[in-house]
Amino acid sequence: MSDVAIAISILSFLVSGITLFLTQFRPPKLKCIVGSTIGLNHQDDGFSVYMPVTFTNEAHQPGLINRCSVLITPEGASSSFYIEWTEFRKRDDEKKTYGRDEFAGPLQVQGRSSISKLVWFYWREGEFNFPDGRYTVEVFVWAENKDAPHIRQRHEFFLDVTESGALKNHKTNGKRTIEWVSVDKQIEPNKMLTVHEAAKLLGGK
């Protein structure tokens, strides 16, 4: 066998080995995708946050999500609200309400797949009036029994005077109505655009 043939055989073997590792033995590659809106409402002893989340796994090996928490900080505040996930919720279309789907707990994400959940975070350590202004939401996800968070993300939302006032009215009237607000908002969800604005925002000629 010539040197060229030997070199080609070795290269093919290496490529096959790398391909096998990437497709079959690669460790889980977990990601977290937060939805474009989150929900806020008052509870008797605090407030709660509804966050649509999708956990993905780009590798073939299954991965485990152990915990998830959020850290909510009003702009200019000296302290933050740290809240661990409480439940997974689902919507009852007939009653037009959200109720418990199951208690929040470890999630196994199969290889090359995803899991979507409406995660409910419940703050029960006192009331908060949600003044208008900017808020940061940091999301932390623990995976594979690690001590430190595997995923850390930072997002923002803004409460305008109308949204803040609505939450206060719900609280005054003893209602738990959810106010949905945009996360990382860059443009109004419903807006007329000129042809030039649409091309600039969405691409194209």
Coordinates of all heavy atoms in Angstrom, one line a residue, residues 44-137:
D44 N -52.0 37.0 47.1 CA -52.3 37.5 48.4 C -51.1 37.9 49.2 O -51.2 38.8 50.0 CB -53.1 36.4 49.2 CG -54.5 36.1 48.5 OD1 -55.0 37.0 47.8 OD2 -55.0 35.0 48.7
D45 N -50.0 37.2 49.1 CA -48.9 37.4 49.9 C -47.6 37.8 49.1 O -46.5 37.7 49.5 CB -48.5 36.2 50.8 CG -48.4 34.9 50.0 OD1 -48.7 35.0 48.7 OD2 -48.0 33.9 50.5
G46 N -47.9 38.2 47.8 CA -46.7 38.6 47.0 C -47.1 38.8 45.6 O -48.1 39.4 45.3
F47 N -46.4 38.2 44.7 CA -46.7 38.3 43.2 C -46.1 37.1 42.5 O -45.4 36.3 43.1 CB -46.1 39.6 42.6 CG -44.6 39.6 42.6 CD1 -43.8 39.1 41.6 CD2 -43.9 40.2 43.7 CE1 -42.5 39.2 41.5 CE2 -42.5 40.3 43.7 CZ -41.8 39.8 42.6
S48 N -46.5 36.9 41.3 CA -45.9 35.8 40.5 C -45.6 36.2 39.1 O -46.1 37.2 38.6 CB -46.9 34.6 40.5 OG -48.1 35.0 39.9
V49 N -44.7 35.4 38.5 CA -44.2 35.7 37.1 C -44.5 34.4 36.3 O -44.2 33.3 36.7 CB -42.7 36.0 37.2 CG1 -42.2 36.2 35.8 CG2 -42.4 37.2 38.1
Y50 N -45.0 34.7 35.1 CA -45.3 33.6 34.1 C -44.3 33.8 33.0 O -44.3 34.8 32.4 CB -46.7 33.7 33.6 CG -47.8 33.3 34.6 CD1 -48.2 34.3 35.5 CD2 -48.5 32.1 34.5 CE1 -49.2 34.0 36.4 CE2 -49.5 31.8 35.4 CZ -49.9 32.8 36.3 OH -50.9 32.5 37.2
M51 N -43.5 32.8 32.8 CA -42.4 32.9 31.8 C -42.4 31.7 30.8 O -42.1 30.5 31.2 CB -41.0 33.0 32.4 CG -39.9 33.1 31.4 SD -38.3 33.3 32.2 CE -38.5 35.0 32.8
P52 N -42.8 31.9 29.5 CA -42.7 30.8 28.6 C -41.2 30.5 28.2 O -40.5 31.4 27.9 CB -43.4 31.4 27.3 CG -44.2 32.6 27.8 CD -43.4 33.1 29.0
V53 N -40.9 29.3 28.4 CA -39.5 28.9 28.2 C -39.4 27.6 27.3 O -40.2 26.7 27.5 CB -38.7 28.6 29.5 CG1 -37.3 28.1 29.3 CG2 -38.7 29.9 30.4
T54 N -38.4 27.6 26.4 CA -38.1 26.3 25.7 C -36.7 25.9 26.0 O -35.8 26.7 25.8 CB -38.3 26.5 24.2 OG1 -39.7 26.9 23.9 CG2 -37.9 25.3 23.4
F55 N -36.5 24.7 26.4 CA -35.2 24.1 26.7 C -34.9 23.2 25.5 O -35.7 22.3 25.1 CB -35.2 23.3 28.0 CG -35.5 24.1 29.2 CD1 -36.7 23.9 29.9 CD2 -34.5 25.0 29.7 CE1 -37.0 24.7 31.0 CE2 -34.8 25.7 30.8 CZ -36.0 25.6 31.5
T56 N -33.7 23.4 24.9 CA -33.3 22.6 23.7 C -32.0 21.8 24.0 O -31.3 22.2 24.9 CB -33.1 23.5 22.5 OG1 -32.0 24.4 22.7 CG2 -34.3 24.4 22.2
N57 N -31.9 20.8 23.3 CA -30.7 19.9 23.4 C -30.2 19.7 21.9 O -30.8 18.9 21.2 CB -30.9 18.7 24.1 CG -29.7 17.8 24.3 OD1 -28.6 18.2 23.9 ND2 -29.9 16.6 24.8
E58 N -29.1 20.2 21.6 CA -28.6 20.1 20.2 C -27.7 18.8 20.0 O -27.4 18.5 18.9 CB -27.7 21.3 19.8 CG -28.5 22.6 19.8 CD -27.7 23.8 19.4 OE1 -26.5 23.6 19.2 OE2 -28.3 24.9 19.3
A59 N -27.4 18.1 21.1 CA -26.6 16.9 21.0 C -27.5 15.7 20.9 O -28.7 15.8 21.1 CB -25.6 16.8 22.1
H60 N -27.0 14.5 20.7 CA -27.8 13.3 20.6 C -28.0 12.7 22.0 O -29.0 12.0 22.3 CB -27.1 12.3 19.7 CG -27.3 12.5 18.3 ND1 -26.6 13.5 17.6 CD2 -28.2 12.0 17.4 CE1 -27.0 13.5 16.3 NE2 -28.0 12.6 16.2
Q61 N -27.1 12.9 22.9 CA -27.2 12.4 24.3 C -28.2 13.2 25.1 O -28.3 14.4 25.0 CB -25.9 12.5 25.0 CG -24.8 11.6 24.5 CD -25.1 10.1 24.7 OE1 -25.5 9.7 25.8 NE2 -25.0 9.3 23.7
P62 N -29.1 12.5 25.8 CA -30.1 13.3 26.6 C -29.5 14.1 27.7 O -28.4 13.8 28.2 CB -31.0 12.2 27.2 CG -30.1 11.0 27.2 CD -29.2 11.1 26.0
G63 N -30.1 15.2 28.0 CA -29.6 16.2 29.0 C -30.6 16.4 30.1 O -31.8 16.2 29.9
L64 N -30.2 16.8 31.3 CA -31.1 17.0 32.4 C -31.0 18.5 32.9 O -30.0 19.0 33.2 CB -30.6 16.1 33.6 CG -31.5 16.1 34.8 CD1 -32.9 15.5 34.5 CD2 -30.9 15.4 36.0
I65 N -32.2 19.1 33.0 CA -32.4 20.4 33.6 C -32.8 20.2 35.0 O -33.9 19.6 35.3 CB -33.5 21.3 32.8 CG1 -33.1 21.4 31.3 CG2 -33.6 22.6 33.5 CD1 -31.9 22.3 31.1
N66 N -32.0 20.7 36.0 CA -32.3 20.4 37.4 C -33.2 21.5 38.0 O -34.1 21.3 38.7 CB -31.0 20.3 38.2 CG -30.3 19.0 37.9 OD1 -31.0 18.0 37.6 ND2 -29.0 19.0 38.0
R67 N -32.8 22.8 37.8 CA -33.4 23.9 38.4 C -33.4 25.1 37.5 O -32.6 25.2 36.6 CB -32.7 24.3 39.7 CG -32.7 23.3 40.8 CD -31.6 23.6 41.9 NE -31.6 25.0 42.3 CZ -30.5 25.6 42.9 NH1 -29.4 24.9 43.0 NH2 -30.6 26.9 43.3
C68 N -34.3 26.0 37.8 CA -34.4 27.3 37.0 C -34.8 28.4 38.0 O -35.7 28.1 38.8 CB -35.3 27.1 35.9 SG -35.5 28.6 34.9
S69 N -34.2 29.5 37.9 CA -34.6 30.6 38.8 C -34.5 31.9 38.0 O -33.8 32.0 36.9 CB -33.7 30.7 40.0 OG -32.4 31.0 39.7
V70 N -35.1 33.0 38.6 CA -35.0 34.3 38.0 C -34.6 35.3 39.1 O -34.8 35.1 40.2 CB -36.3 34.8 37.3 CG1 -36.6 34.0 36.1 CG2 -37.4 34.8 38.3
L71 N -33.9 36.3 38.6 CA -33.5 37.4 39.5 C -34.0 38.7 38.9 O -33.6 39.1 37.8 CB -32.0 37.5 39.6 CG -31.4 38.5 40.7 CD1 -31.8 38.0 42.1 CD2 -29.9 38.7 40.5
I72 N -35.1 39.3 39.5 CA -35.7 40.5 38.9 C -35.3 41.7 39.7 O -35.4 41.8 40.9 CB -37.3 40.3 39.0 CG1 -37.7 39.1 38.2 CG2 -38.0 41.6 38.5 CD1 -39.2 38.8 38.3
T73 N -34.8 42.7 38.9 CA -34.3 43.9 39.6 C -34.9 45.2 38.9 O -34.7 45.4 37.7 CB -32.8 44.0 39.4 OG1 -32.2 42.8 39.8 CG2 -32.2 45.2 40.2
P74 N -35.7 46.0 39.7 CA -36.2 47.2 39.2 C -35.0 48.2 38.9 O -34.0 48.2 39.7 CB -37.1 47.7 40.3 CG -37.4 46.6 41.1 CD -36.2 45.7 41.0
E75 N -35.1 49.0 37.9 CA -34.0 49.9 37.6 C -33.8 50.9 38.8 O -34.7 51.4 39.4 CB -34.4 50.8 36.4 CG -33.2 51.6 35.9 CD -33.6 52.3 34.6 OE1 -34.7 52.8 34.4 OE2 -32.7 52.4 33.7
G76 N -32.5 51.0 39.2 CA -32.1 51.9 40.3 C -32.3 51.3 41.6 O -31.9 51.9 42.6
A77 N -32.8 50.0 41.7 CA -33.0 49.4 43.1 C -31.7 48.9 43.6 O -30.8 48.5 42.9 CB -34.1 48.3 42.9
S78 N -31.7 48.8 45.0 CA -30.5 48.3 45.6 C -30.6 46.8 46.0 O -29.7 46.2 46.5 CB -30.2 49.1 46.9 OG -31.3 49.1 47.8
S79 N -31.8 46.2 45.7 CA -32.0 44.8 46.0 C -32.8 44.2 44.9 O -33.5 44.9 44.1 CB -32.7 44.6 47.3 OG -33.9 45.3 47.4
S80 N -32.8 42.9 44.8 CA -33.5 42.1 43.7 C -34.3 41.0 44.3 O -34.2 40.6 45.5 CB -32.4 41.5 42.8 OG -31.6 42.5 42.3
F81 N -35.3 40.6 43.5 CA -36.1 39.4 43.8 C -35.6 38.2 43.2 O -35.6 38.0 42.0 CB -37.6 39.7 43.3 CG -38.2 40.9 43.9 CD1 -38.2 42.1 43.2 CD2 -38.9 40.8 45.1 CE1 -38.8 43.2 43.7 CE2 -39.6 42.0 45.6 CZ -39.5 43.2 44.9
Y82 N -35.1 37.3 44.1 CA -34.6 36.0 43.6 C -35.7 34.9 43.8 O -36.2 34.7 44.9 CB -33.4 35.5 44.4 CG -32.9 34.1 44.0 CD1 -32.2 33.9 42.8 CD2 -33.3 33.0 44.8 CE1 -31.8 32.6 42.5 CE2 -32.9 31.7 44.5 CZ -32.2 31.5 43.3 OH -31.8 30.2 43.0
I83 N -36.2 34.3 42.7 CA -37.3 33.4 42.8 C -36.9 32.1 42.0 O -36.6 32.1 40.8 CB -38.6 34.0 42.2 CG1 -38.7 35.4 42.6 CG2 -39.8 33.2 42.6 CD1 -39.8 36.1 41.8
E84 N -37.1 30.9 42.7 CA -36.9 29.7 42.0 C -38.2 29.2 41.4 O -39.3 29.5 41.9 CB -36.3 28.6 42.9 CG -34.9 28.9 43.4 CD -34.1 27.7 43.9 OE1 -34.8 26.6 44.0 OE2 -32.9 27.9 44.0
W85 N -38.1 28.4 40.3 CA -39.4 27.9 39.7 C -40.3 27.2 40.7 O -39.8 26.5 41.6 CB -39.1 27.1 38.5 CG -38.4 25.8 38.6 CD1 -38.0 25.2 39.8 CD2 -37.9 25.0 37.5 NE1 -37.3 24.0 39.5 CE2 -37.3 23.8 38.1 CE3 -38.0 25.0 36.2 CZ2 -36.7 22.8 37.4 CZ3 -37.4 24.0 35.4 CH2 -36.8 22.9 36.0
T86 N -41.6 27.3 40.6 CA -42.5 26.8 41.5 C -43.4 25.7 40.9 O -43.5 24.6 41.4 CB -43.4 27.9 42.1 OG1 -42.6 29.0 42.6 CG2 -44.3 27.3 43.2
E87 N -44.0 26.0 39.7 CA -44.8 25.1 39.0 C -44.7 25.3 37.5 O -44.2 26.4 37.0 CB -46.3 25.4 39.4 CG -46.7 25.1 40.8 CD -48.2 25.4 41.1 OE1 -48.9 25.9 40.2 OE2 -48.6 25.2 42.2
F88 N -45.1 24.3 36.8 CA -45.4 24.5 35.3 C -46.9 24.7 35.2 O -47.7 24.0 35.8 CB -45.0 23.2 34.5 CG -43.5 22.9 34.7 CD1 -43.1 21.6 34.9 CD2 -42.5 23.9 34.6 CE1 -41.7 21.3 35.1 CE2 -41.2 23.6 34.8 CZ -40.8 22.4 35.0
R89 N -47.3 25.7 34.4 CA -48.7 26.0 34.3 C -49.2 25.8 32.9 O -48.4 25.7 31.9 CB -48.9 27.5 34.7 CG -48.6 27.7 36.2 CD -49.7 28.4 36.9 NE -49.8 28.1 38.3 CZ -50.7 28.7 39.1 NH1 -51.5 29.6 38.7 NH2 -50.7 28.4 40.4
K90 N -50.5 25.7 32.8 CA -51.2 25.6 31.5 C -52.5 26.4 31.5 O -53.0 26.7 32.5 CB -51.4 24.1 31.2 CG -52.4 23.4 32.1 CD -52.6 22.0 31.7 CE -53.6 21.3 32.7 NZ -53.8 19.9 32.3
R91 N -52.9 26.7 30.3 CA -54.1 27.5 30.2 C -55.3 26.7 30.0 O -55.3 25.7 29.3 CB -54.0 28.5 29.0 CG -55.2 29.4 28.7 CD -55.0 30.3 27.6 NE -56.2 31.1 27.3 CZ -56.7 32.1 27.9 NH1 -56.0 32.6 29.0 NH2 -57.8 32.7 27.5
D92 N -56.4 27.0 30.8 CA -57.7 26.4 30.6 C -58.5 27.4 29.7 O -59.0 28.4 30.1 CB -58.4 26.3 32.0 CG -59.7 25.5 31.9 OD1 -60.4 25.7 30.9 OD2 -60.0 24.8 32.9
D93 N -58.7 27.0 28.4 CA -59.3 27.9 27.5 C -60.8 28.1 27.8 O -61.3 29.2 27.5 CB -59.2 27.3 26.1 CG -57.7 27.4 25.6 OD1 -57.0 28.3 25.9 OD2 -57.3 26.5 24.8
E94 N -61.4 27.1 28.4 CA -62.8 27.3 28.7 C -63.0 28.3 29.9 O -63.9 29.2 29.8 CB -63.5 26.0 29.1 CG -63.6 25.0 28.0 CD -64.3 23.7 28.4 OE1 -64.8 23.6 29.6 OE2 -64.5 22.8 27.6
K95 N -62.2 28.2 30.9 CA -62.3 29.2 32.0 C -61.5 30.4 31.8 O -61.6 31.4 32.5 CB -61.8 28.5 33.3 CG -62.7 27.3 33.7 CD -62.2 26.7 35.0 CE -63.0 25.5 35.4 NZ -62.5 24.8 36.7
K96 N -60.6 30.4 30.8 CA -59.7 31.5 30.4 C -58.8 31.9 31.7 O -58.7 33.0 32.0 CB -60.5 32.7 30.0 CG -61.3 32.5 28.7 CD -62.1 33.7 28.3 CE -62.8 33.5 26.9 NZ -63.5 34.7 26.5
T97 N -58.3 30.8 32.3 CA -57.4 31.0 33.4 C -56.2 30.1 33.2 O -56.2 29.2 32.4 CB -58.1 30.7 34.7 OG1 -58.6 29.3 34.7 CG2 -59.3 31.6 35.0
Y98 N -55.2 30.3 34.1 CA -54.0 29.4 34.1 C -54.0 28.7 35.4 O -54.1 29.3 36.5 CB -52.7 30.3 33.9 CG -52.6 30.9 32.6 CD1 -53.2 32.1 32.2 CD2 -51.8 30.2 31.6 CE1 -53.0 32.7 31.0 CE2 -51.7 30.8 30.3 CZ -52.3 32.0 30.0 OH -52.1 32.6 28.8
G99 N -53.8 27.4 35.3 CA -53.7 26.6 36.5 C -52.5 25.6 36.5 O -51.8 25.6 35.5
R100 N -52.3 24.9 37.5 CA -51.2 24.0 37.6 C -51.2 22.9 36.6 O -52.2 22.2 36.5 CB -51.1 23.4 39.0 CG -49.9 22.5 39.3 CD -50.0 21.7 40.5 NE -50.1 22.6 41.7 CZ -50.6 22.2 42.9 NH1 -51.1 21.0 43.0 NH2 -50.7 23.1 43.8
D101 N -50.1 22.7 35.9 CA -49.9 21.6 35.1 C -49.2 20.5 35.9 O -49.7 19.3 35.9 CB -49.1 21.9 33.8 CG -48.9 20.8 32.9 OD1 -49.6 19.8 33.0 OD2 -48.1 20.9 32.0
E102 N -48.1 20.8 36.5 CA -47.4 20.0 37.4 C -46.4 20.8 38.2 O -46.1 21.9 37.8 CB -46.7 18.8 36.7 CG -45.7 19.4 35.6 CD -45.1 18.3 34.8 OE1 -45.0 17.1 35.3 OE2 -44.6 18.5 33.7
F103 N -45.9 20.3 39.4 CA -44.9 21.0 40.1 C -43.6 21.0 39.3 O -43.3 20.1 38.6 CB -44.7 20.3 41.5 CG -45.8 20.5 42.5 CD1 -46.6 19.4 42.8 CD2 -46.0 21.7 43.0 CE1 -47.6 19.6 43.7 CE2 -47.0 21.9 44.0 CZ -47.8 20.8 44.3
A104 N -42.9 22.1 39.4 CA -41.7 22.3 38.7 C -40.6 21.3 39.3 O -40.5 21.2 40.5 CB -41.2 23.7 38.8
G105 N -39.9 20.7 38.4 CA -38.9 19.8 38.8 C -38.0 19.4 37.7 O -38.1 19.9 36.6
P106 N -37.0 18.5 37.9 CA -36.1 18.2 36.8 C -36.7 17.8 35.5 O -37.7 17.0 35.5 CB -35.3 17.0 37.5 CG -35.4 17.3 38.9 CD -36.7 17.8 39.1
L107 N -36.2 18.2 34.4 CA -36.7 17.9 33.1 C -35.6 17.2 32.3 O -34.5 17.7 32.2 CB -37.1 19.1 32.4 CG -38.3 19.9 32.9 CD1 -38.4 21.3 32.2 CD2 -39.6 19.1 32.8
Q108 N -35.9 16.1 31.7 CA -35.0 15.4 30.8 C -35.3 15.8 29.4 O -36.4 15.7 28.9 CB -35.0 13.9 30.9 CG -33.9 13.2 30.1 CD -33.9 11.7 30.3 OE1 -34.9 11.0 30.2 NE2 -32.7 11.2 30.7
V109 N -34.3 16.4 28.7 CA -34.4 16.8 27.3 C -33.7 15.8 26.4 O -32.5 15.6 26.5 CB -33.8 18.2 27.1 CG1 -34.2 18.7 25.7 CG2 -34.4 19.2 28.1
Q110 N -34.5 15.0 25.7 CA -33.9 14.0 24.8 C -33.0 14.6 23.8 O -33.1 15.8 23.5 CB -35.0 13.2 24.2 CG -35.9 12.4 25.1 CD -35.1 11.4 26.0 OE1 -34.1 10.8 25.5 NE2 -35.5 11.2 27.2
G111 N -32.1 13.8 23.2 CA -31.2 14.3 22.2 C -31.9 14.8 21.0 O -32.9 14.3 20.6
R112 N -31.4 15.9 20.5 CA -32.0 16.6 19.3 C -33.4 16.9 19.4 O -34.3 16.6 18.5 CB -31.7 15.7 18.0 CG -30.3 15.3 17.8 CD -29.4 16.5 17.4 NE -29.8 17.0 16.1 CZ -29.2 18.1 15.6 NH1 -28.3 18.8 16.3 NH2 -29.5 18.5 14.4
S113 N -33.8 17.4 20.6 CA -35.2 17.7 20.8 C -35.3 18.9 21.7 O -34.3 19.6 22.1 CB -35.9 16.5 21.4 OG -35.5 16.3 22.8
S114 N -36.6 19.3 22.1 CA -36.8 20.4 22.9 C -38.1 20.2 23.8 O -38.9 19.3 23.5 CB -37.0 21.7 22.1 OG -38.2 21.6 21.3
I115 N -38.2 21.0 24.9 CA -39.3 20.9 25.7 C -39.7 22.4 26.0 O -38.9 23.2 26.4 CB -39.0 20.2 27.1 CG1 -38.7 18.7 26.9 CG2 -40.2 20.3 28.0 CD1 -38.3 18.0 28.1
S116 N -41.0 22.7 25.8 CA -41.5 24.0 26.1 C -42.4 23.9 27.3 O -43.3 23.1 27.5 CB -42.3 24.5 24.9 OG -41.5 24.7 23.8
K117 N -42.2 24.9 28.2 CA -43.0 25.0 29.5 C -43.4 26.4 29.8 O -42.6 27.4 29.4 CB -42.2 24.4 30.7 CG -41.9 23.0 30.6 CD -43.1 22.1 30.9 CE -42.8 20.7 30.9 NZ -44.1 19.8 31.2
L118 N -44.5 26.6 30.4 CA -44.9 27.9 31.0 C -44.5 27.8 32.4 O -45.2 27.2 33.2 CB -46.4 28.2 30.8 CG -46.9 29.5 31.4 CD1 -46.1 30.7 30.8 CD2 -48.4 29.7 31.2
V119 N -43.4 28.4 32.8 CA -42.8 28.3 34.1 C -43.4 29.4 35.0 O -43.5 30.6 34.6 CB -41.3 28.4 34.1 CG1 -40.7 28.2 35.5 CG2 -40.7 27.4 33.2
W120 N -43.9 29.0 36.2 CA -44.5 29.9 37.2 C -43.5 30.1 38.3 O -43.2 29.2 39.0 CB -45.8 29.3 37.6 CG -46.7 30.3 38.5 CD1 -47.1 31.5 38.1 CD2 -47.1 30.0 39.8 NE1 -47.9 32.0 39.1 CE2 -47.9 31.1 40.2 CE3 -47.0 28.9 40.7 CZ2 -48.6 31.2 41.4 CZ3 -47.7 29.0 41.9 CH2 -48.4 30.2 42.3
F121 N -43.2 31.4 38.5 CA -42.3 31.8 39.7 C -43.1 32.5 40.7 O -43.8 33.5 40.3 CB -41.2 32.7 39.2 CG -40.3 32.0 38.1 CD1 -40.5 32.2 36.8 CD2 -39.1 31.3 38.5 CE1 -39.7 31.6 35.8 CE2 -38.3 30.7 37.6 CZ -38.6 30.8 36.2
Y122 N -43.1 32.1 41.9 CA -44.0 32.6 42.9 C -43.2 33.3 44.0 O -42.5 32.6 44.8 CB -44.9 31.5 43.5 CG -45.9 31.9 44.5 CD1 -46.2 33.2 44.8 CD2 -46.5 30.9 45.3 CE1 -47.2 33.5 45.8 CE2 -47.5 31.2 46.3 CZ -47.8 32.5 46.5 OH -48.7 32.8 47.5
W123 N -43.3 34.6 44.1 CA -42.7 35.3 45.2 C -43.7 35.5 46.4 O -44.8 36.1 46.2 CB -42.3 36.7 44.8 CG -41.7 37.6 45.9 CD1 -42.4 38.5 46.6 CD2 -40.4 37.6 46.4 NE1 -41.6 39.1 47.5 CE2 -40.4 38.6 47.5 CE3 -39.3 36.9 46.1 CZ2 -39.2 38.8 48.2 CZ3 -38.1 37.2 46.9 CH2 -38.1 38.1 47.9
R124 N -43.4 34.9 47.5 CA -44.4 34.9 48.6 C -43.8 35.6 49.9 O -44.3 35.4 51.0 CB -44.7 33.4 49.0 CG -43.6 32.5 49.3 CD -44.0 31.2 49.8 NE -44.8 30.4 48.8 CZ -44.2 29.6 47.9 NH1 -42.9 29.5 47.9 NH2 -44.9 29.0 47.1
E125 N -42.8 36.5 49.7 CA -42.2 37.1 50.8 C -42.6 38.6 51.0 O -41.8 39.4 51.4 CB -40.6 37.0 50.7 CG -40.1 35.6 50.7 CD -40.4 34.9 52.0 OE1 -40.4 35.5 53.0 OE2 -40.7 33.7 51.9
G126 N -43.8 38.9 50.5 CA -44.2 40.3 50.7 C -44.7 40.9 49.4 O -44.3 40.4 48.3
E127 N -45.5 41.9 49.5 CA -46.1 42.6 48.3 C -45.1 43.5 47.6 O -44.1 43.9 48.2 CB -47.4 43.3 48.7 CG -48.4 42.5 49.3 CD -49.7 43.3 49.7 OE1 -49.6 44.5 49.7 OE2 -50.7 42.7 50.0
F128 N -45.4 43.7 46.3 CA -44.6 44.7 45.5 C -45.6 45.3 44.5 O -46.4 44.7 43.9 CB -43.5 43.9 44.7 CG -42.6 44.8 43.9 CD1 -41.8 45.8 44.5 CD2 -42.6 44.7 42.5 CE1 -41.1 46.6 43.7 CE2 -41.8 45.5 41.7 CZ -41.0 46.4 42.3
N129 N -45.5 46.7 44.4 CA -46.5 47.4 43.7 C -46.2 47.6 42.2 O -47.0 48.1 41.4 CB -46.6 48.8 44.3 CG -47.3 48.8 45.6 OD1 -48.2 48.0 45.9 ND2 -46.8 49.6 46.5
F130 N -45.0 47.1 41.7 CA -44.7 47.2 40.3 C -44.8 48.6 39.7 O -45.6 48.9 38.9 CB -45.5 46.2 39.4 CG -45.1 44.8 39.6 CD1 -45.9 43.9 40.2 CD2 -43.9 44.3 39.0 CE1 -45.6 42.6 40.4 CE2 -43.6 43.0 39.1 CZ -44.4 42.1 39.8
P131 N -44.0 49.5 40.2 CA -44.0 50.9 39.6 C -43.5 50.9 38.2 O -42.9 49.9 37.7 CB -43.0 51.6 40.5 CG -42.1 50.6 41.0 CD -42.9 49.4 41.2
D132 N -44.0 51.9 37.4 CA -43.6 51.9 36.0 C -42.1 52.1 35.9 O -41.5 52.7 36.8 CB -44.3 53.0 35.3 CG -44.1 54.4 35.9 OD1 -44.7 54.7 36.9 OD2 -43.3 55.1 35.3
G133 N -41.5 51.6 34.9 CA -40.0 51.7 34.7 C -39.4 50.5 34.1 O -40.2 49.5 33.7
R134 N -38.1 50.5 34.0 CA -37.4 49.3 33.4 C -37.0 48.3 34.5 O -36.6 48.7 35.6 CB -36.2 49.9 32.7 CG -35.5 48.9 31.8 CD -34.3 49.5 31.0 NE -34.8 50.7 30.3 CZ -35.4 50.6 29.1 NH1 -35.6 49.4 28.5 NH2 -35.7 51.7 28.5
Y135 N -37.0 47.1 34.1 CA -36.7 46.0 34.9 C -35.7 45.0 34.2 O -35.9 44.8 33.0 CB -37.9 45.1 35.4 CG -38.9 45.9 36.3 CD1 -39.7 46.8 35.7 CD2 -39.0 45.6 37.6 CE1 -40.7 47.5 36.5 CE2 -39.9 46.2 38.4 CZ -40.7 47.2 37.9 OH -41.7 47.8 38.6
T136 N -34.8 44.5 34.9 CA -33.9 43.4 34.3 C -34.4 42.1 34.9 O -34.8 42.0 36.1 CB -32.4 43.6 34.6 OG1 -32.2 43.6 36.1 CG2 -31.9 44.9 34.1
V137 N -34.4 41.0 34.1 CA -34.7 39.7 34.5 C -33.5 38.8 34.1 O -33.2 38.6 32.9 CB -36.0 39.2 33.8 CG1 -36.3 37.8 34.3 CG2 -37.1 40.1 34.1

